[in-house]
Amino acid sequence: MKYIIIIISSIFVNNVVLSQFLGICPFIGVSKKVNTAVGMSAAVLFVMVLATMVTWLIQHYVLDAFGLQFLQTLTFILVIASLVQIVEIVLKKIAPPLYQALGIFLPLITTNCAVLGIAILTIQKEYNLLEGIVYSASIAVGFAFALILFAGIREQMETANVPEGMKGTPIALVTAGLLAMAFMGFSGLV
């Protein structure tokens, strides 16, 4: 039952983008096309789960064991940067069109505060390794859900009659705000 609560809470109630406001940069930047949003979501899912696993192990078996908790943020940033480099190399070899489509936003996963934030929150919430993996995967699914939904809305808005002063970023921010308000409706679920 605990895992179901973690999953529902992470995807809907405490959505990383719409409730916790982590990962806004890729949310706004990559949400113009659905297929780019799907690619970014897959990359964030992979990096977030892998980063949470590695940082949890480092925290418990290195930092805590040797009393080096003060190095947590620096260590986690280095681990995440390394993992993003691996994802970038793999995407360049396996899916060059996706690599080109993501462009500058793939290296931005390194500085995506959602990845670092979830790695730190997993430690702060005192989750065990399995709970941490479920939590980070659920958060990444929630990120993907919000990103793909937002990208679909933005694609539809391209054909809508939007006033000239609201085209582009202004209407995207208003739409993101409305989407966040809609997700507030899930707050009574868990």
Side-chain angles (χ1 to χ4, degrees), residues 46-144:
F46 177 73
V47 169
M48 194 175 287
V49 171
L50 197 56
T52 299
M53 286 179 6
V54 173
T55 55
W56 189 93
L57 292 169
I58 289 172
Q59 178 72 36
H60 286 85
Y61 294 111
V62 177
L63 300 179
D64 288 347
F66 295 106
L68 300 171
Q69 293 88 349
F70 63 93
L71 291 174
Q72 181 188 56
T73 304
L74 178 64
T75 305
F76 285 14
I77 289 171
L78 292 173
V79 166
I80 291 166
S82 301
L83 291 173
V84 169
Q85 289 299 316
I86 292 168
V87 169
E88 194 169 355
I89 291 167
V90 168
L91 277 181
K92 196 172 190 177
K93 299 270 186 204
I94 294 175
L98 179 59
Y99 176 78
Q100 291 295 329
L102 291 176
I104 189 67
F105 295 104
L106 188 57
L108 283 179
I109 294 177
T110 304
T111 58
N112 185 348
C113 57
V115 178
L116 177 62
I118 298 313
I120 291 173
L121 282 172
T122 301
I123 302 301
Q124 287 177 348
K125 292 177 183 252
E126 298 180 358
Y127 286 146
N128 63 37
L129 183 58
L130 184 58
E131 290 169 345
I133 291 168
V134 169
Y135 176 66
S136 64
S138 301
I139 287 287
V141 168
F143 177 83

